[in-house]
Amino acid sequence: MKRYYEKYSGKFEIIGIDCNDPVDKWKAAVAAYDMPWKHVYNPKGTRLTADYGIQGYPTKIIIDPKGRIEKIVIGEDPAFYKYLDELFQ
């Protein structure tokens, strides 16, 4: 993700949402992996994962400029990065 975030800087934004880890573990992971995008803590008991239909981690959701969901990818799949290349070429 970092490589693609840099590759297409200014063309898209990533928002990392915690997957119900304790806050200290979440902050440590963000720092350890040096993820330069925005991050949101998702404490247990919220409806975020249900509202967006999250079924596994990581889940990547591409939302177009009009707010429509264009693509959802669950897990690590090279097809996601190919999709980004096609989208931004």
Side-chain angles (χ1 to χ4, degrees):
M1 287 296 300
K2 266 172 51 172
R3 186 166 62 95
Y4 274 74
Y5 187 72
E6 292 167 4
K7 182 177 182 177
Y8 296 117
S9 177
K11 293 186 178 185
F12 81 113
E13 188 57 66
I14 296 174
I15 300 173
I17 302 174
D18 153 69
C19 55
N20 293 318
D21 284 331
V23 70
D24 55 335
K25 184 176 178 183
W26 166 68
K27 285 182 177 182
V30 169
Y33 293 106
D34 189 31
M35 297 179 280
W37 47 83
K38 296 170 175 66
H39 294 274
V40 177
Y41 182 64
N42 178 33
K44 288 185 180 190
T46 65
R47 293 207 27 90
L48 185 69
T49 54
D51 289 348
Y52 281 89
I54 305 300
Q55 299 175 11
Y57 297 101
T59 295
K60 299 167 192 78
I61 303 172
I62 303 291
I63 301 172
D64 76 7
K66 294 182 180 179
R68 295 179 299 219
I69 294 175
E70 289 290 320
K71 187 167 189 68
I72 298 174
V73 176
I74 300 170
E76 279 301 323
D77 185 345
F80 172 74
Y81 301 102
K82 183 179 180 194
Y83 177 80
L84 289 179
D85 285 332
E86 292 168 358
L87 185 64
F88 295 122
Q89 293 300 322

